[in-house]
Amino acid sequence: MKKTILNFFYPNRCPSCEKFLSSGETVCEFCAEDMLVEQDSYCHQCGKVTCFCKYKKLYYDKAVIACYYANATIPAILKLKLSKNTNFAYFSARILAKRLQSEEYGKLDMIIPVPMHSSKLRERGYNQASLIAKEIANFMHIPCREDILYKNKSVAQHQLNAEQRAKNISSFHVRDILLKNKHVLLCDDVLTTGNTLNYCAELLKQVGASRVTIASASTTVLKSKEEIFT
């Protein structure tokens, strides 16, 4: 009843095409089909359609992806980042959770979202990576920890050039919390070059994590190997 009333005043729409949805839907079936990346279409080590494993040292051990960052997915993620429509977070989280139940990924001890600076969090009202992580955590009945990684600069990676991105990665830090022998799932909304997730995975291993799997709602399609380093 509550959902029905809310849907009357605040209509539920597909975050990509704006089609009206029922209260239980997150993405329309046509956009969902366009968004999803098949599990055999990307590298399960680095998470990219164009594998870059041999070009960089990876600190994360496995990758699970839900969607391409293209076509129907781009407007859905932009709305998610701009606080207009969070449906994509729940849609992608459920896809990721189902894929993570495969024996390939093993038992997970906790989920950690890539952090957002406190000023950006106050401005937006939520961290999109946290929305995805919490939905996965609820689905899989494992804890979501937001007290382990933190960020001390408010600049987002997508706003920077290659040199600035490299410097900005160092704004991520890990608290002195022992994660010995823990298998951590590190979560974000977009996997581009993998630098942010890779650096965060390195930090987690520095405090004892034995294994880090990354889960990203989407992955970009790299056009050339030069993009890996930018």
Side-chain angles (χ1 to χ4, degrees), residues 115-196:
M116 177 181 286
H117 187 264
S118 57
S119 63
K120 183 68 71 174
L121 185 61
R122 286 193 298 271
E123 176 187 326
R124 187 170 297 175
Y126 60 84
N127 174 1
Q128 67 272 9
S130 293
L131 292 183
I132 298 165
K134 288 175 180 176
E135 185 71 3
I136 295 172
N138 289 336
F139 196 95
M140 300 186 72
H141 307 292
I142 51 179
C144 179
R145 298 286 300 271
E146 297 184 82
D147 59 330
I148 296 175
L149 291 175
Y150 66 97
K151 190 178 183 186
N152 64 5
K153 290 182 183 178
S154 61
V155 182
Q157 287 289 85
H158 68 271
Q159 299 172 336
L160 308 174
N161 61 34
E163 184 179 354
Q164 291 169 330
R165 284 187 182 195
K167 292 180 180 178
N168 192 52
I169 284 177
S170 63
S171 66
F172 292 98
H173 301 276
V174 64
R175 290 189 170 87
D176 189 17
I177 297 176
L178 188 62
L179 297 178
K180 186 177 180 180
N181 299 325
K182 298 296 184 184
H183 181 185
V184 177
L185 181 67
L186 181 62
C187 186
D188 207 358
D189 58 340
V190 183
L191 173 65
T192 307
T193 62
N195 291 337
T196 297

Side-chain angles (χ1 to χ4, degrees), residues 34 51 61 90 116 142 163 192 227:
D34 193 31
C51 175
D61 302 280
Y90 305 110
M116 177 181 286
I142 51 179
E163 184 179 354
T192 307
E227 292 183 64

Side-chain angles (χ1 to χ4, degrees), residues 39-171:
Q39 286 188 274
D40 59 357
S41 298
Y42 66 90
C43 173
H44 288 210
Q45 175 70 27
C46 66
K48 302 303 297 182
V49 175
T50 304
C51 175
F52 60 40
C53 292
K54 65 182 179 181
Y55 297 113
K56 64 167 63 178
K57 180 178 180 180
L58 293 178
Y59 290 93
Y60 55 86
D61 302 280
K62 286 279 187 180
V64 60
I65 308 295
C67 302
Y68 292 107
Y69 184 78
N71 303 326
T73 307
I74 292 175
I77 289 180
L78 290 177
K79 288 186 178 72
L80 175 61
K81 288 181 180 292
L82 296 173
S83 306
K84 291 183 177 180
N85 188 323
T86 59
N87 279 8
F88 181 73
Y90 305 110
F91 169 77
S92 59
R94 292 164 195 171
I95 300 300
L96 290 168
K98 289 176 182 177
R99 293 182 173 184
L100 284 162
Q101 291 176 329
S102 162
E103 290 183 5
E104 176 184 358
Y105 297 101
K107 180 181 178 295
L108 294 164
D109 294 299
M110 67 182 72
I111 299 177
I112 299 176
V114 169
M116 177 181 286
H117 187 264
S118 57
S119 63
K120 183 68 71 174
L121 185 61
R122 286 193 298 271
E123 176 187 326
R124 187 170 297 175
Y126 60 84
N127 174 1
Q128 67 272 9
S130 293
L131 292 183
I132 298 165
K134 288 175 180 176
E135 185 71 3
I136 295 172
N138 289 336
F139 196 95
M140 300 186 72
H141 307 292
I142 51 179
C144 179
R145 298 286 300 271
E146 297 184 82
D147 59 330
I148 296 175
L149 291 175
Y150 66 97
K151 190 178 183 186
N152 64 5
K153 290 182 183 178
S154 61
V155 182
Q157 287 289 85
H158 68 271
Q159 299 172 336
L160 308 174
N161 61 34
E163 184 179 354
Q164 291 169 330
R165 284 187 182 195
K167 292 180 180 178
N168 192 52
I169 284 177
S170 63
S171 66

Side-chain angles (χ1 to χ4, degrees), residues 2-21:
K2 182 179 178 181
K3 286 183 178 179
T4 302
I5 294 171
L6 285 172
N7 208 32
F8 179 79
F9 291 102
Y10 305 99
N12 185 26
R13 293 176 180 267
C14 173
S16 181
C17 70
E18 295 287 336
K19 177 183 177 181
F20 286 104
L21 304 174

